[in-house]
Amino acid sequence: MTWKRSIIVTGGTANLGYHAALNIAKSHPDYLIVLSSRSNKDNAADTINKTLSQDNCIYISLDLSNLASVREYAKQWAAQGRPPIQSLVLNAGLQFPGGLTKTVDGLESTFGINHVGHALLFHLLFPHLSDTARIVLTSSGTHDPAMKSGLPDAVYNSAEDLAHPPASMIDVLGRQRYASSKLANVLWTYALHRRLAERRPHASITVNAFDPGLMPGTGLAREGSGIERFLWLRVLPCIIPLLRLAVTPNTHTPAESGAALAQLAVGEDVDGVSGKYFEGLKEILSSEDSYILGKQDDLWQWTINYTAESDEERAKFDI
């Protein structure tokens, strides 16, 4: 079959990403749905195909913690001549509750995976986007101190500080690094939206950020302690109604949030909407810091300067 469009979902082999991919595949059997994660131990694409009695899901390996892997992914995409990308769902994310960890490229791991790998993937795949493509980034309400999520407040002094923490930030709690990386997701969303609007005013590409809410049972806590994993995976999923009352009404199963993420990726009701932050399907304001243009521009320029390998590529990335 000749597919009309492609949809890429990073972190698409489990939990939120899996359910988003399942919903997209169901609503668009004429699209090629690409699940991209570091591993695929549960054969997620095959499971979706069998569930829907379709054949439009495939898995392509992608390690966002390794920028060489991201480049190889984009190189193979270009070589295989797949249909234009209609939605790029930048969903994968990790949290490292312990001490400072680094990627193979020497970046602080949370920032490297949650932001830098995704940003490079976008820039490399930009030439393969359709004229009406949608970019959706999975952020988190933890980026906003006003939400009182229970995590330490996000801190953004500069992208360089997040990427290569100075001595004063070596002992920062891992959960604060996570919140800060999710603030970076929103800052980058707004920076990209502004550049698309200013430099490509006739383009119809949109970009939005998404908060899936509290989702007990996902793989987000896989780097946590044994007790933390037990509570997150075994206890909290059983008391979601209580969590909605006691903690936050923005508490959902991965299936519920996955359906909302799929709607932002392909739903007609958000066609043309860009530069917004969604809590589920509800458009809300993001944190005060996320609207600071200086922070948006610092992240944008640092990201391009770090990821581009030449002046020519740097010019292409700075759309």
Side-chain angles (χ1 to χ4, degrees):
M1 180 174 179
T2 301
W3 311 111
K4 290 183 178 179
R5 291 286 189 271
S6 299
I7 306 278
I8 296 176
V9 183
T10 70
T13 58
N15 302 305
L16 174 64
Y18 172 84
H19 288 286
L22 174 65
N23 278 272
I24 295 170
K26 184 177 181 179
S27 64
H28 287 279
D30 54 341
Y31 283 9
L32 177 67
I33 314 303
V34 182
L35 283 58
S36 296
S37 300
R38 186 168 54 182
S39 63
N40 185 33
K41 62 181 180 179
D42 295 324
N43 299 310
D46 291 341
T47 300
I48 292 177
N49 286 336
K50 291 177 182 177
T51 299
L52 300 177
S53 297
Q54 297 175 184
D55 63 352
N56 61 324
C57 282
I58 63 172
Y59 166 74
I60 302 179
S61 177
L62 172 66
D63 184 356
L64 290 164
S65 71
N66 185 335
L67 298 184
S69 170
V70 177
R71 287 187 173 276
E72 181 61 26
Y73 181 101
K75 179 181 178 181
Q76 291 300 319
W77 185 275
Q80 290 165 355
R82 300 192 185 281
I85 300 168
Q86 183 59 36
S87 297
L88 184 56
V89 184
L90 304 178
N91 164 73
L94 277 178
Q95 184 180 127
F96 299 86
L100 177 66
T101 63
K102 294 184 178 181
T103 69
V104 296
D105 300 295
L107 296 168
E108 188 283 311
S109 294
T110 318
F111 183 71
I113 294 168
N114 296 357
H115 168 65
V116 181
H118 275 140
L120 177 59
L121 182 67
F122 164 81
H123 286 299
L124 294 174
L125 293 180
F126 185 78
H128 306 286
L129 299 181
S130 77
D131 293 338
T132 58
R134 297 185 191 181
I135 316 302
V136 184
L137 289 93
T138 297
S139 181
S140 168
T142 61
H143 89 280
D144 187 355
M147 291 294 182
K148 301 186 183 303
S149 67
L151 267 66
D153 290 350
V155 174
Y156 188 100
N157 296 319
S158 70
E160 176 61 20
D161 280 359
L162 294 182
H164 305 107
S168 62
M169 296 178 65
I170 294 298
D171 295 327
V172 166
L173 294 173
R175 289 187 173 85
Q176 184 179 67
R177 298 190 197 281
Y178 176 78
S180 299
S181 75
K182 291 302 171 179
L183 171 57
N185 289 153
V186 184
L187 289 167
W188 191 82
T189 294
Y190 295 159
L192 174 57
H193 166 73
R194 286 196 291 119
R195 282 157 177 80
L196 289 171
E198 294 169 1
R199 304 181 187 184
R200 296 175 179 265
H202 302 298
S204 298
I205 296 173
T206 63
V207 55
N208 294 294
F210 170 71
D211 169 22
L214 181 65
M215 292 184 298
T218 66
L220 187 61
R222 61 182 175 270
E223 301 292 336
S225 67
I227 293 177
E228 289 171 332
R229 292 196 304 272
F230 175 76
L231 291 173
W232 183 254
L233 296 173
R234 303 298 182 186
V235 178
L236 297 184
C238 299
I239 58 171
I240 284 180
L242 178 60
L243 293 174
R244 286 174 177 153
L245 291 173
V247 181
T248 172
N250 189 27
T251 303
H252 307 285
T253 66
E256 291 168 339
S257 291
L261 179 55
Q263 187 68 11
L264 289 179
V266 297
E268 293 182 359
D269 58 332
V270 287
D271 187 34
V273 176
S274 186
K276 305 299 182 182
Y277 178 80
F278 287 86
E279 182 182 84
L281 292 176
K282 180 183 178 182
E283 181 188 324
I284 66 170
L285 294 176
S286 52
S287 71
E288 291 184 4
D289 276 5
S290 69
Y291 294 105
I292 297 176
L293 297 184
K295 294 180 186 291
Q296 295 174 17
D297 290 341
D298 172 79
L299 179 63
W300 181 265
Q301 292 302 329
W302 180 92
T303 302
I304 289 175
N305 289 335
Y306 181 82
T307 57
E309 293 186 333
S310 65
D311 289 341
E312 180 182 5
E313 192 171 64
R314 187 172 295 108
K316 290 180 180 178
F317 284 5
D318 195 10
I319 62 174

